[in-house]
Amino acid sequence: MRTWLSVLVFAGLVWPAHNAHADVAQLNTLLQRNNCVACHLIDKRKYGPHMREVAARYAGKTGLVDQMARKIKNGGSGVWGEDVMPPQPHVTDDNARLMAQLILSLDSR
Ligand code: HEC
């Protein structure tokens, strides 16, 4: 009984960390496949913001996934400065939403 309890506690500690790691790996793959890495890395600035900065900026706000998915497809400027993000018409709606979700839920620390 006590063994099972500690297994559960241990799983509870490990699972969220593992999950976050899997999300980052998935986001990385999507950013590469959709050519976002020409400008964006997850942890380091290249052109425009890096993805943890984006997560930090919108931390605590909800209901932004659709708006962010549109921005990913349409591009834009003026939020992070003068640099322009060109439209990304090759990105499917599903992938735009998925990337928006994964970016916004990144750990921004
Ligand atoms: C040619 C360079 C370039 C490419 C390619 C690019 N971006 Fe951007 N991205 C930018 C720039 C510049 C900004 C800042 C725009 C602004 O200030 O509004 C930006 C902003 C963003 C933001 C923050 C939007 C906001 O309003 O805060 C996200 C999220 C983002 N890009 C995701 C992506 C994804 C996902 C892809 C791949 C499909 C991608 N970008 C491809 C240059 C690029």
Side-chain angles (χ1 to χ4, degrees), residues 39-93:
C39 298
H40 300 294
L41 302 177
I42 291 183
D43 296 297
K44 213 170 86 187
R45 274 203 174 201
K46 207 169 172 188
Y47 184 69
H50 66 66
M51 296 294 99
R52 288 195 197 277
E53 277 180 284
V54 176
R57 180 175 195 132
Y58 303 105
K61 305 207 176 100
T62 53
L64 289 178
V65 173
D66 286 330
Q67 181 192 319
M68 199 54 75
R70 272 198 300 277
K71 172 93 175 219
I72 288 171
K73 290 199 66 144
N74 300 336
S77 70
V79 176
W80 294 88
E82 299 302 308
D83 292 338
V84 176
M85 173 164 159
Q88 309 291 313
H90 55 284
V91 179
T92 64
D93 288 348

Short mmCIF file of all heavy atoms in Angstrom, two decimals, residues 39-93:
data_model
loop_
_atom_site.label_atom_id
_atom_site.label_comp_id
_atom_site.label_asym_id
_atom_site.label_seq_id
_atom_site.Cartn_x
_atom_site.Cartn_y
_atom_site.Cartn_z
N CYS A 39 13.43 32.48 -38.61
CA CYS A 39 13.39 33.69 -37.77
C CYS A 39 13.25 33.42 -36.27
O CYS A 39 13.69 34.23 -35.47
CB CYS A 39 12.22 34.58 -38.21
SG CYS A 39 12.39 35.14 -39.91
N HIS A 40 12.59 32.33 -35.89
CA HIS A 40 12.31 32.11 -34.47
C HIS A 40 12.92 30.83 -33.94
O HIS A 40 12.68 29.76 -34.49
CB HIS A 40 10.80 31.98 -34.21
CG HIS A 40 9.98 33.15 -34.60
ND1 HIS A 40 10.08 34.37 -34.00
CD2 HIS A 40 9.02 33.29 -35.55
CE1 HIS A 40 9.20 35.21 -34.55
NE2 HIS A 40 8.56 34.59 -35.49
N LEU A 41 13.66 30.95 -32.84
CA LEU A 41 14.03 29.78 -32.07
C LEU A 41 13.21 29.84 -30.79
O LEU A 41 12.60 30.86 -30.47
CB LEU A 41 15.53 29.79 -31.76
CG LEU A 41 16.43 29.83 -33.01
CD1 LEU A 41 17.89 29.91 -32.62
CD2 LEU A 41 16.17 28.63 -33.91
N ILE A 42 13.20 28.76 -30.04
CA ILE A 42 12.39 28.73 -28.82
C ILE A 42 13.01 29.59 -27.73
O ILE A 42 12.32 30.37 -27.08
CB ILE A 42 12.17 27.28 -28.34
CG1 ILE A 42 11.25 26.56 -29.34
CG2 ILE A 42 11.57 27.25 -26.93
CD1 ILE A 42 10.89 25.15 -28.99
N ASP A 43 14.34 29.49 -27.56
CA ASP A 43 15.00 30.14 -26.42
C ASP A 43 15.87 31.32 -26.78
O ASP A 43 16.42 31.95 -25.89
CB ASP A 43 15.93 29.15 -25.71
CG ASP A 43 15.17 28.01 -25.11
OD1 ASP A 43 14.35 28.26 -24.23
OD2 ASP A 43 15.39 26.87 -25.55
N LYS A 44 16.08 31.56 -28.07
CA LYS A 44 17.09 32.55 -28.44
C LYS A 44 16.59 33.42 -29.58
O LYS A 44 15.98 32.92 -30.52
CB LYS A 44 18.36 31.80 -28.88
CG LYS A 44 19.62 32.55 -28.54
CD LYS A 44 20.85 31.69 -28.75
CE LYS A 44 21.28 31.80 -30.20
NZ LYS A 44 22.33 30.90 -30.59
N ARG A 45 16.85 34.72 -29.50
CA ARG A 45 16.42 35.64 -30.54
C ARG A 45 17.20 35.45 -31.84
O ARG A 45 18.41 35.27 -31.82
CB ARG A 45 16.61 37.09 -30.09
CG ARG A 45 15.43 37.58 -29.30
CD ARG A 45 15.35 39.09 -29.35
NE ARG A 45 14.10 39.48 -28.69
CZ ARG A 45 13.50 40.63 -28.88
NH1 ARG A 45 14.02 41.52 -29.70
NH2 ARG A 45 12.39 40.91 -28.26
N LYS A 46 16.49 35.50 -32.93
CA LYS A 46 17.12 35.47 -34.24
C LYS A 46 16.60 36.70 -34.98
O LYS A 46 17.30 37.65 -35.21
CB LYS A 46 16.72 34.17 -34.94
CG LYS A 46 17.71 33.70 -35.94
CD LYS A 46 17.37 32.28 -36.38
CE LYS A 46 18.26 31.85 -37.54
NZ LYS A 46 17.83 30.57 -38.10
N TYR A 47 15.30 36.69 -35.30
CA TYR A 47 14.64 37.84 -35.92
C TYR A 47 13.24 37.87 -35.32
O TYR A 47 12.55 36.87 -35.34
CB TYR A 47 14.59 37.65 -37.44
CG TYR A 47 14.03 38.82 -38.19
CD1 TYR A 47 14.73 40.02 -38.26
CD2 TYR A 47 12.81 38.73 -38.84
CE1 TYR A 47 14.22 41.10 -38.96
CE2 TYR A 47 12.29 39.82 -39.56
CZ TYR A 47 13.01 40.99 -39.61
OH TYR A 47 12.49 42.05 -40.31
N GLY A 48 12.85 39.01 -34.76
CA GLY A 48 11.60 38.99 -34.01
C GLY A 48 11.81 38.31 -32.66
O GLY A 48 12.94 37.94 -32.30
N PRO A 49 10.75 38.12 -31.91
CA PRO A 49 10.88 37.57 -30.55
C PRO A 49 11.18 36.08 -30.58
O PRO A 49 10.86 35.41 -31.55
CB PRO A 49 9.48 37.80 -29.96
CG PRO A 49 8.57 37.77 -31.15
CD PRO A 49 9.35 38.39 -32.28
N HIS A 50 11.84 35.57 -29.52
CA HIS A 50 11.90 34.11 -29.40
C HIS A 50 10.63 33.64 -28.69
O HIS A 50 9.87 34.45 -28.15
CB HIS A 50 13.21 33.63 -28.78
CG HIS A 50 13.46 34.00 -27.36
ND1 HIS A 50 12.70 33.51 -26.32
CD2 HIS A 50 14.40 34.79 -26.78
CE1 HIS A 50 13.18 33.98 -25.18
NE2 HIS A 50 14.20 34.77 -25.44
N MET A 51 10.38 32.34 -28.75
CA MET A 51 9.04 31.87 -28.39
C MET A 51 8.74 31.93 -26.90
O MET A 51 7.59 32.09 -26.51
CB MET A 51 8.81 30.46 -28.96
CG MET A 51 8.83 30.41 -30.48
SD MET A 51 7.46 31.28 -31.28
CE MET A 51 8.16 32.84 -31.77
N ARG A 52 9.77 31.85 -26.06
CA ARG A 52 9.50 32.00 -24.62
C ARG A 52 9.16 33.44 -24.26
O ARG A 52 8.43 33.71 -23.32
CB ARG A 52 10.69 31.51 -23.78
CG ARG A 52 10.82 30.00 -23.79
CD ARG A 52 11.75 29.52 -22.69
NE ARG A 52 12.19 28.16 -22.95
CZ ARG A 52 11.48 27.06 -22.64
NH1 ARG A 52 10.31 27.19 -22.06
NH2 ARG A 52 11.94 25.88 -22.92
N GLU A 53 9.70 34.39 -25.04
CA GLU A 53 9.34 35.80 -24.82
C GLU A 53 7.87 36.03 -25.14
O GLU A 53 7.19 36.81 -24.48
CB GLU A 53 10.15 36.69 -25.77
CG GLU A 53 11.52 37.06 -25.33
CD GLU A 53 12.18 37.94 -26.38
OE1 GLU A 53 12.61 37.40 -27.43
OE2 GLU A 53 12.25 39.16 -26.17
N VAL A 54 7.42 35.37 -26.20
CA VAL A 54 6.01 35.49 -26.57
C VAL A 54 5.15 34.95 -25.44
O VAL A 54 4.18 35.58 -25.00
CB VAL A 54 5.72 34.75 -27.90
CG1 VAL A 54 4.23 34.80 -28.24
CG2 VAL A 54 6.54 35.35 -29.04
N ALA A 55 5.53 33.75 -24.93
CA ALA A 55 4.78 33.15 -23.82
C ALA A 55 4.75 34.09 -22.61
O ALA A 55 3.72 34.27 -21.96
CB ALA A 55 5.40 31.81 -23.44
N ALA A 56 5.89 34.73 -22.32
CA ALA A 56 5.97 35.61 -21.15
C ALA A 56 5.06 36.82 -21.33
O ALA A 56 4.39 37.26 -20.39
CB ALA A 56 7.42 36.06 -20.94
N ARG A 57 5.03 37.36 -22.54
CA ARG A 57 4.24 38.56 -22.79
C ARG A 57 2.74 38.34 -22.56
O ARG A 57 2.04 39.21 -22.08
CB ARG A 57 4.47 39.00 -24.23
CG ARG A 57 3.68 40.24 -24.60
CD ARG A 57 4.03 40.70 -26.01
NE ARG A 57 3.56 42.05 -26.21
CZ ARG A 57 4.31 43.02 -26.72
NH1 ARG A 57 5.54 42.79 -27.08
NH2 ARG A 57 3.81 44.23 -26.87
N TYR A 58 2.29 37.13 -22.93
CA TYR A 58 0.85 36.87 -22.83
C TYR A 58 0.50 35.97 -21.65
O TYR A 58 -0.62 35.49 -21.55
CB TYR A 58 0.34 36.25 -24.14
CG TYR A 58 0.61 37.13 -25.34
CD1 TYR A 58 1.62 36.83 -26.25
CD2 TYR A 58 -0.13 38.30 -25.54
CE1 TYR A 58 1.89 37.65 -27.33
CE2 TYR A 58 0.14 39.13 -26.62
CZ TYR A 58 1.15 38.81 -27.51
OH TYR A 58 1.42 39.63 -28.57
N ALA A 59 1.47 35.76 -20.74
CA ALA A 59 1.23 34.88 -19.59
C ALA A 59 0.02 35.37 -18.80
O ALA A 59 -0.14 36.56 -18.56
CB ALA A 59 2.46 34.84 -18.71
N GLY A 60 -0.83 34.45 -18.41
CA GLY A 60 -1.98 34.79 -17.58
C GLY A 60 -3.18 35.25 -18.39
O GLY A 60 -4.29 35.36 -17.85
N LYS A 61 -3.01 35.52 -19.69
CA LYS A 61 -4.16 35.88 -20.51
C LYS A 61 -4.71 34.63 -21.18
O LYS A 61 -3.94 33.75 -21.59
CB LYS A 61 -3.74 36.89 -21.59
CG LYS A 61 -3.06 38.12 -21.02
CD LYS A 61 -3.28 39.32 -21.95
CE LYS A 61 -2.69 40.58 -21.33
NZ LYS A 61 -1.38 40.92 -21.88
N THR A 62 -6.00 34.55 -21.29
CA THR A 62 -6.60 33.37 -21.92
C THR A 62 -7.34 33.77 -23.19
O THR A 62 -7.53 34.95 -23.47
CB THR A 62 -7.58 32.68 -20.95
OG1 THR A 62 -8.51 33.66 -20.48
CG2 THR A 62 -6.85 32.05 -19.78
N GLY A 63 -7.76 32.78 -23.94
CA GLY A 63 -8.55 33.02 -25.15
C GLY A 63 -7.77 33.65 -26.28
O GLY A 63 -8.34 34.31 -27.15
N LEU A 64 -6.45 33.45 -26.29
CA LEU A 64 -5.62 34.09 -27.32
C LEU A 64 -5.23 33.15 -28.46
O LEU A 64 -4.57 33.58 -29.40
CB LEU A 64 -4.34 34.64 -26.68
CG LEU A 64 -4.52 35.85 -25.77
CD1 LEU A 64 -3.17 36.24 -25.18
CD2 LEU A 64 -5.09 37.03 -26.54
N VAL A 65 -5.63 31.88 -28.36
CA VAL A 65 -5.13 30.91 -29.33
C VAL A 65 -5.55 31.26 -30.76
O VAL A 65 -4.72 31.26 -31.68
CB VAL A 65 -5.58 29.47 -28.95
CG1 VAL A 65 -5.21 28.48 -30.05
CG2 VAL A 65 -4.92 29.05 -27.65
N ASP A 66 -6.82 31.60 -30.96
CA ASP A 66 -7.30 31.91 -32.32
C ASP A 66 -6.60 33.14 -32.88
O ASP A 66 -6.16 33.16 -34.03
CB ASP A 66 -8.81 32.14 -32.32
CG ASP A 66 -9.56 30.84 -32.18
OD1 ASP A 66 -9.03 29.80 -32.64
OD2 ASP A 66 -10.66 30.84 -31.61
N GLN A 67 -6.50 34.17 -32.04
CA GLN A 67 -5.84 35.41 -32.45
C GLN A 67 -4.39 35.14 -32.83
O GLN A 67 -3.90 35.63 -33.86
CB GLN A 67 -5.92 36.38 -31.27
CG GLN A 67 -5.31 37.73 -31.50
CD GLN A 67 -5.17 38.50 -30.19
OE1 GLN A 67 -6.07 38.45 -29.33
NE2 GLN A 67 -4.07 39.19 -30.00
N MET A 68 -3.71 34.33 -32.03
CA MET A 68 -2.30 34.04 -32.29
C MET A 68 -2.17 33.16 -33.52
O MET A 68 -1.23 33.35 -34.32
CB MET A 68 -1.69 33.37 -31.05
CG MET A 68 -0.18 33.42 -30.98
SD MET A 68 0.51 35.08 -31.11
CE MET A 68 0.16 35.74 -29.49
N ALA A 69 -3.10 32.24 -33.74
CA ALA A 69 -3.06 31.39 -34.93
C ALA A 69 -3.23 32.25 -36.19
O ALA A 69 -2.57 32.03 -37.20
CB ALA A 69 -4.16 30.32 -34.86
N ARG A 70 -4.10 33.25 -36.11
CA ARG A 70 -4.27 34.16 -37.26
C ARG A 70 -3.00 34.95 -37.52
O ARG A 70 -2.60 35.13 -38.66
CB ARG A 70 -5.44 35.13 -37.00
CG ARG A 70 -6.79 34.59 -37.43
CD ARG A 70 -7.81 35.73 -37.57
NE ARG A 70 -8.00 36.45 -36.31
CZ ARG A 70 -8.81 36.04 -35.33
NH1 ARG A 70 -9.51 34.93 -35.48
NH2 ARG A 70 -8.92 36.73 -34.22
N LYS A 71 -2.38 35.42 -36.45
CA LYS A 71 -1.14 36.18 -36.62
C LYS A 71 -0.06 35.30 -37.25
O LYS A 71 0.71 35.76 -38.09
CB LYS A 71 -0.68 36.72 -35.25
CG LYS A 71 0.69 37.35 -35.24
CD LYS A 71 0.64 38.86 -35.45
CE LYS A 71 2.01 39.50 -35.32
NZ LYS A 71 1.97 40.78 -34.63
N ILE A 72 -0.02 34.03 -36.85
CA ILE A 72 0.98 33.11 -37.41
C ILE A 72 0.75 32.97 -38.92
O ILE A 72 1.69 32.96 -39.70
CB ILE A 72 0.93 31.74 -36.69
CG1 ILE A 72 1.53 31.88 -35.28
CG2 ILE A 72 1.68 30.67 -37.49
CD1 ILE A 72 1.36 30.66 -34.39
N LYS A 73 -0.50 32.89 -39.36
CA LYS A 73 -0.77 32.75 -40.79
C LYS A 73 -0.62 34.06 -41.56
O LYS A 73 -0.14 34.09 -42.68
CB LYS A 73 -2.18 32.20 -41.00
CG LYS A 73 -2.31 30.75 -40.58
CD LYS A 73 -3.51 30.08 -41.19
CE LYS A 73 -3.37 29.99 -42.70
NZ LYS A 73 -3.96 28.75 -43.25
N ASN A 74 -1.06 35.16 -40.95
CA ASN A 74 -1.11 36.43 -41.68
C ASN A 74 0.13 37.29 -41.49
O ASN A 74 0.33 38.24 -42.23
CB ASN A 74 -2.34 37.25 -41.25
CG ASN A 74 -3.63 36.50 -41.52
OD1 ASN A 74 -3.68 35.63 -42.38
ND2 ASN A 74 -4.67 36.83 -40.77
N GLY A 75 0.93 36.98 -40.47
CA GLY A 75 2.07 37.82 -40.15
C GLY A 75 1.61 39.17 -39.60
O GLY A 75 0.47 39.31 -39.16
N GLY A 76 2.51 40.15 -39.63
CA GLY A 76 2.15 41.47 -39.11
C GLY A 76 3.36 42.14 -38.51
O GLY A 76 4.48 41.63 -38.59
N SER A 77 3.13 43.29 -37.91
CA SER A 77 4.23 44.01 -37.27
C SER A 77 3.66 44.95 -36.22
O SER A 77 2.45 45.07 -36.07
CB SER A 77 5.03 44.82 -38.29
OG SER A 77 4.25 45.89 -38.76
N GLY A 78 4.57 45.59 -35.49
CA GLY A 78 4.14 46.63 -34.56
C GLY A 78 3.98 46.17 -33.13
O GLY A 78 3.86 46.98 -32.23
N VAL A 79 3.95 44.86 -32.90
CA VAL A 79 3.82 44.39 -31.53
C VAL A 79 5.18 44.32 -30.85
O VAL A 79 5.34 44.70 -29.69
CB VAL A 79 3.13 43.00 -31.48
CG1 VAL A 79 3.07 42.47 -30.06
CG2 VAL A 79 1.72 43.10 -32.07
N TRP A 80 6.20 43.89 -31.60
CA TRP A 80 7.53 43.71 -31.03
C TRP A 80 8.52 44.73 -31.59
O TRP A 80 9.72 44.61 -31.37
CB TRP A 80 8.03 42.29 -31.32
CG TRP A 80 7.22 41.26 -30.61
CD1 TRP A 80 6.09 40.67 -31.07
CD2 TRP A 80 7.45 40.73 -29.30
NE1 TRP A 80 5.60 39.79 -30.14
CE2 TRP A 80 6.40 39.81 -29.04
CE3 TRP A 80 8.43 40.94 -28.34
CZ2 TRP A 80 6.32 39.10 -27.84
CZ3 TRP A 80 8.34 40.24 -27.14
CH2 TRP A 80 7.29 39.32 -26.90
N GLY A 81 8.03 45.68 -32.34
CA GLY A 81 8.93 46.67 -32.93
C GLY A 81 8.61 46.85 -34.40
O GLY A 81 7.49 46.60 -34.83
N GLU A 82 9.62 47.27 -35.14
CA GLU A 82 9.39 47.61 -36.55
C GLU A 82 9.51 46.41 -37.48
O GLU A 82 9.09 46.46 -38.63
CB GLU A 82 10.40 48.67 -37.00
CG GLU A 82 10.30 49.98 -36.23
CD GLU A 82 8.90 50.58 -36.35
OE1 GLU A 82 8.44 50.71 -37.50
OE2 GLU A 82 8.29 50.88 -35.31
N ASP A 83 10.15 45.33 -37.00
CA ASP A 83 10.36 44.18 -37.88
C ASP A 83 9.02 43.58 -38.31
O ASP A 83 8.07 43.51 -37.54
CB ASP A 83 11.19 43.11 -37.17
CG ASP A 83 12.63 43.56 -36.93
OD1 ASP A 83 13.07 44.48 -37.65
OD2 ASP A 83 13.28 43.03 -36.02
N VAL A 84 8.98 43.16 -39.57
CA VAL A 84 7.74 42.63 -40.12
C VAL A 84 7.80 41.11 -40.23
O VAL A 84 8.77 40.56 -40.73
CB VAL A 84 7.47 43.22 -41.53
CG1 VAL A 84 6.23 42.59 -42.15
CG2 VAL A 84 7.31 44.73 -41.44
N MET A 85 6.78 40.45 -39.75
CA MET A 85 6.64 39.01 -40.01
C MET A 85 5.81 38.84 -41.26
O MET A 85 4.66 39.28 -41.31
CB MET A 85 5.97 38.32 -38.82
CG MET A 85 5.66 36.86 -39.12
SD MET A 85 5.32 35.92 -37.62
CE MET A 85 4.42 34.54 -38.32
N PRO A 86 6.37 38.22 -42.31
CA PRO A 86 5.60 38.04 -43.53
C PRO A 86 4.52 36.98 -43.35
O PRO A 86 4.63 36.14 -42.46
CB PRO A 86 6.65 37.58 -44.55
CG PRO A 86 7.81 37.10 -43.76
CD PRO A 86 7.73 37.69 -42.39
N PRO A 87 3.46 37.01 -44.17
CA PRO A 87 2.42 35.98 -44.09
C PRO A 87 3.02 34.58 -44.32
O PRO A 87 4.01 34.45 -45.03
CB PRO A 87 1.46 36.33 -45.23
CG PRO A 87 1.76 37.74 -45.58
CD PRO A 87 3.19 37.99 -45.22
N GLN A 88 2.43 33.57 -43.70
CA GLN A 88 2.93 32.19 -43.79
C GLN A 88 1.80 31.31 -44.36
O GLN A 88 1.23 30.48 -43.65
CB GLN A 88 3.35 31.70 -42.40
CG GLN A 88 4.29 32.62 -41.63
CD GLN A 88 5.67 32.69 -42.25
OE1 GLN A 88 6.28 31.68 -42.58
NE2 GLN A 88 6.17 33.91 -42.45
N PRO A 89 1.50 31.49 -45.66
CA PRO A 89 0.34 30.81 -46.24
C PRO A 89 0.49 29.29 -46.32
O PRO A 89 -0.51 28.59 -46.48
CB PRO A 89 0.24 31.41 -47.66
CG PRO A 89 1.59 31.97 -47.95
CD PRO A 89 2.20 32.34 -46.63
N HIS A 90 1.73 28.78 -46.19
CA HIS A 90 1.93 27.33 -46.25
C HIS A 90 1.49 26.64 -44.96
O HIS A 90 1.39 25.42 -44.92
CB HIS A 90 3.42 27.04 -46.50
CG HIS A 90 4.32 27.68 -45.49
ND1 HIS A 90 4.62 29.03 -45.52
CD2 HIS A 90 4.96 27.19 -44.40
CE1 HIS A 90 5.42 29.32 -44.51
NE2 HIS A 90 5.64 28.22 -43.81
N VAL A 91 1.25 27.40 -43.89
CA VAL A 91 0.88 26.79 -42.61
C VAL A 91 -0.61 26.43 -42.62
O VAL A 91 -1.46 27.28 -42.93
CB VAL A 91 1.18 27.77 -41.45
CG1 VAL A 91 0.78 27.17 -40.11
CG2 VAL A 91 2.65 28.14 -41.44
N THR A 92 -0.93 25.19 -42.31
CA THR A 92 -2.35 24.79 -42.26
C THR A 92 -3.01 25.40 -41.03
O THR A 92 -2.33 25.76 -40.05
CB THR A 92 -2.50 23.25 -42.16
OG1 THR A 92 -1.92 22.82 -40.91
CG2 THR A 92 -1.81 22.53 -43.32
N ASP A 93 -4.34 25.52 -41.08
CA ASP A 93 -5.07 26.06 -39.92
C ASP A 93 -4.79 25.23 -38.67
O ASP A 93 -4.59 25.78 -37.58
CB ASP A 93 -6.58 26.07 -40.20
CG ASP A 93 -6.94 27.15 -41.22
OD1 ASP A 93 -6.10 28.01 -41.52
OD2 ASP A 93 -8.09 27.11 -41.72
#
